[in-house]
Amino acid sequence: MFRKVLIANRGEIALRIIWACKELGIKTVAVHSDVDIDSLHVRFADENICIGPAPSRDSYLNITNLIAAAEISNVDGIHPGYGFLSESAEFAQVCQACNITFIGPSPQTIALMGNKAEAKKTMKAAGVPILPGSDGPVATVDEAKAIAAEVGYPIILKASAGGGGKGMRVVNSEGEMELAFQMAGSEAASAFGNGDLYLEKYLEAPRHIEIQILGDQFGNVIHLFERECSIQRRHQKLIEESPSPALTPMLRAEMGDTAVKGAQAVGYATVGTMEFLYDKDRFYFMEMNTRIQVEHPVTENVTGVDLVKAQIMAAAGEKMQWKQKDIKLTGHSMECRINAEDPHRFTPSPGRITTFHSPGGPGVRVDTAAYAGYFVSPHYDSLLAKLIVRGNTRKDSILRMKRSLESFVVEGIKTNISMHLKIMEDEDFQAGRLSTRFMDRFTN
Ligand code: MV4
C-alpha cells in the first residue's frame, strides 16, 4: 500500500481522496494554487505545497510543477481526481517515468480510451454494441456523405480526440454535410489539437446510462451497476441516479456484463465508467472514462462500496476483494450538482459565501469543500457541492432530495438549487420519463 499520496486536484474531490487515504493509513500531500491557500483540502492534508498562480495552466494543469511537488514531498503515488490531468496519458506516462504510481489505468489504456474512434473500434471487436457509422475516423467529406447515405440521416459528427460533447455536429441532410464537416473538424483541431472526426447514426432523444467498472491488476473486472445521467445541460451532468428507472433486471445484467466484457478486452485496471446511449430498449457504447467520476457517490450509496478506496487499493496492486456475485444493488440514490451559478442564465457566480448550511439527517450526504467565509474563485469550475441522497425507492429519494434542497442554505453567491427543486417537482421527472433532451424545456 502507498505510504504517501499527492492529490493533483482541488475542491470536493481532493477532500474526498483525503478521506479515503486517511482510512487507508496513507499520508496525504495537497497541492494548491496561490488563491486556494484557504481551501479545506489544504487544511486537512498532512502536507501542502503551492504549485503556482491561479490559472489552471500554471498550476493544476502544470505537469512540471506537479512532479516537482511530488519529488519534494517524496510521494509514491499521485491521485489525479477528475478533470484537470485525470485523463492525460502524458501525465500518467511522466509519473511512470518518475517511478510514481499514477492512480488510474495505464497510460496506454488512457490513450486508447481518449481516442473515441479507436475506443469504439476496440469495443466493437470485443462484442460491445456500437451505433452504425464510420469504422474509425472519416478522412473526407465525400467519405462522410457515403457512410451517411448508408446509415441514413440524421447522423452526428464527433471529434475522435474529443468527448463530452465538444466538436459535435448533428447533420440532418447531405446538403448540410460540407459545412458541418469543416466546422466540426476545425473546432476539434483547435480544441484538441486533432481534427479527426468519426460519424454515427444520430439518436434523437436517447438516455445516457453509464456502468461503473472496477478492475485489479490480476485481470479481475466487475461492474457496480448503472447510473442514469440523462439530466444534463450542454453536456454538463446535473442530476445522476441509480438504478435507472428505464432498466429491467434483465437489461441491467446485460449492460453490466457487456461493460465487463469490454473492460476485460483492454485489461482494464482501477475504476472506470463505460458510457452508453440507451434508446428503445437497446444500448450502444459511446465512450469510456478512465477516471473516478463526479457522480461516484450514487453508486457507493446503492452498493456500499467505497470506490475511491477500491481505486487506490487496485492501483497499489492489491487483489480485488469482491466477486461479481458479492455486489448487490439496494435502494435508490440520486445526486444533484449544486453549482455556483445564476439559476436563470447558468452563468458562474463567484464570490464570498456568507452563510453555508448543508442538509443532513437519514440518507443525506453532502460532498463539498465550501464553508461560510469561503471565496468561490472564478478561475475554476462552478461545482460548489454534491448533494446525494439515498432512499428505499425512487419516490423516497425524490422526497428526500426535495427536503434537502429546501434546507440547503447558501448566501453571498447564487446557486442552481431553485432549478433542482423545479426538476424534482416536474411530472416527467417524477415518472422517470427522462432523456438527454429533458433539459431543453428548462433552458432557453
Ligand atoms: C450522441 C447522441 C445521440 N446520438 N450520439 C456525446 C457526448 C456526450 N456527452 C453526449 N453525446 C451524445 N452523443 C449519437 N449517435 C446524444 C448525445 C448527448 C447529447 C447530444 C447533444 C446534446 C446533449 C446531449 C446530452 C447527452 C447525450
Side-chain angles (χ1 to χ4, degrees):
M1 181 47 75
F2 301 112
R3 186 182 31 80
K4 192 192 292 190
V5 163
L6 180 143
I7 296 109
N9 215 301
R10 63 183 298 280
E12 67 88 18
I13 193 61
L15 264 188
R16 173 71 184 85
I17 295 160
I18 289 170
W19 304 151
C21 288
K22 281 181 179 290
E23 292 183 18
L24 290 170
I26 300 170
K27 291 292 179 200
T28 53
V29 177
V31 293
H32 64 89
S33 64
D34 52 11
V35 296
D36 272 347
I37 185 82
D38 296 327
S39 298
L40 289 185
H41 74 285
V42 174
R43 175 173 178 163
F44 291 114
D46 297 295
E47 301 170 38
N48 69 79
I49 299 179
C50 181
I51 50 167
S56 297
R57 68 179 173 281
D58 302 323
S59 48
Y60 299 103
L61 288 174
N62 187 308
I63 293 178
T64 306
N65 294 2
L66 286 164
I67 295 297
E71 298 286 358
I72 291 167
S73 51
N74 188 27
V75 299
D76 44 4
I78 290 183
H79 197 307
Y82 53 65
F84 292 128
L85 295 166
S86 61
E87 297 189 290
S88 163
E90 181 197 2
F91 184 48
Q93 188 62 47
V94 171
C95 290
Q96 203 167 61
C98 297
N99 204 20
I100 298 168
T101 302
F102 176 86
I103 298 176
S106 68
Q108 295 74 19
T109 301
I110 296 172
L112 174 61
M113 292 303 147
N115 182 321
K116 306 306 175 187
E118 286 308 311
K120 265 190 80 174
K121 283 173 76 169
T122 305
M123 289 303 149
K124 181 181 180 183
V128 175
I130 61 167
L131 279 161
S134 62
D135 182 24
V138 183
T140 66
V141 65
D142 288 340
E143 188 186 340
K145 286 178 179 177
I147 297 169
E150 270 173 47
V151 303
Y153 290 94
I155 60 101
I156 186 168
L157 294 169
K158 293 181 175 180
S160 288
K166 277 199 198 120
M168 273 172 31
R169 272 285 186 297
V170 179
V171 184
N172 292 300
S173 66
E174 182 167 282
E176 296 175 8
M177 186 66 86
E178 185 94 30
L179 181 61
F181 192 82
Q182 280 162 14
M183 297 285 285
S186 56
E187 259 174 51
S190 57
F192 312 112
N194 174 345
D196 285 352
L197 300 174
Y198 63 102
L199 181 155
E200 288 180 346
K201 178 71 184 157
Y202 181 66
L203 302 176
E204 296 287 354
R207 284 172 182 261
H208 180 131
I209 297 180
E210 59 190 31
I211 301 288
Q212 181 65 59
I213 287 289
L214 172 61
D216 64 19
Q217 297 187 33
F218 302 89
N220 302 303
V221 179
I222 59 171
H223 72 81
L224 294 100
F225 303 109
E226 81 276 10
R227 291 185 292 261
E228 166 89 53
C229 303
S230 298
I231 311 293
Q232 339 190 343
R233 180 177 180 276
R234 293 189 182 174
H235 307 290
Q236 290 300 315
K237 295 167 184 166
L238 287 168
I239 298 175
E240 305 98 342
E241 63 181 295
S242 181
S244 164
L247 294 191
T248 61
M250 176 100 72
L251 260 167
R252 174 166 298 112
E254 191 188 345
M255 280 188 89
D257 295 345
T258 302
V260 166
K261 188 168 65 172
Q264 281 171 330
V266 297
Y268 201 88
T270 72
V271 296
T273 296
M274 210 165 277
E275 291 191 345
F276 294 93
L277 291 171
Y278 180 87
D279 191 50
K280 302 185 182 71
D281 297 337
R282 299 190 64 179
F283 57 92
Y284 309 91
F285 174 82
M286 184 162 55
E287 50 195 82
M288 181 167 197
N289 303 324
T290 55
R291 64 180 189 268
I292 190 76
Q293 300 218 183
V294 170
E295 61 268 28
H296 76 271
V298 162
T299 300
E300 295 185 324
N301 266 353
V302 294
T303 62
V305 172
D306 181 322
L307 284 167
V308 177
K309 283 167 76 173
Q311 177 187 29
I312 293 168
M313 292 160 75
E318 296 207 3
K319 192 170 184 302
M320 202 187 314
Q321 67 190 82
W322 302 275
K323 297 281 182 226
Q324 189 62 64
K325 64 178 175 40
D326 303 324
I327 307 297
K328 307 292 181 202
L329 199 169
T330 59
H332 190 103
S333 187
M334 188 175 283
E335 173 183 86
C336 284
R337 298 191 191 197
I338 312 298
N339 295 331
E341 67 184 20
D342 181 298
H344 307 292
R345 295 186 299 159
F346 296 93
T347 48
S349 170
R352 192 162 303 279
I353 295 173
T354 51
T355 310
F356 191 83
H357 170 76
S358 47
V364 178
R365 165 176 168 179
V366 176
D367 282 17
T368 187
Y371 55 86
Y374 178 63
F375 183 81
V376 178
S377 170
H379 290 282
Y380 311 112
D381 72 47
S382 63
L383 180 67
L384 188 71
K386 294 168 358 189
L387 171 54
I388 311 109
V389 302
R390 186 190 183 289
N392 293 327
T393 64
R394 186 169 192 266
K395 188 169 186 299
D396 291 345
S397 288
I398 292 175
L399 282 173
R400 185 159 278 171
M401 183 62 83
K402 270 180 71 173
R403 67 98 174 150
S404 300
L405 288 164
E406 286 163 352
S407 58
F408 205 147
V409 182
V410 181
E411 291 169 354
I413 59 166
K414 293 176 185 170
T415 75
N416 63 351
I417 290 173
S418 57
M419 179 209 67
H420 283 299
L421 277 166
K422 264 182 18 185
I423 294 172
M424 289 302 130
E425 283 147 12
D426 178 84
E427 255 178 50
D428 285 332
F429 180 80
Q430 292 187 355
R433 288 191 293 270
L434 314 177
S435 86
T436 53
R437 308 303 296 269
F438 179 90
M439 283 304 290
D440 292 0
R441 81 183 81 162
F442 283 87
T443 52
N444 38 26

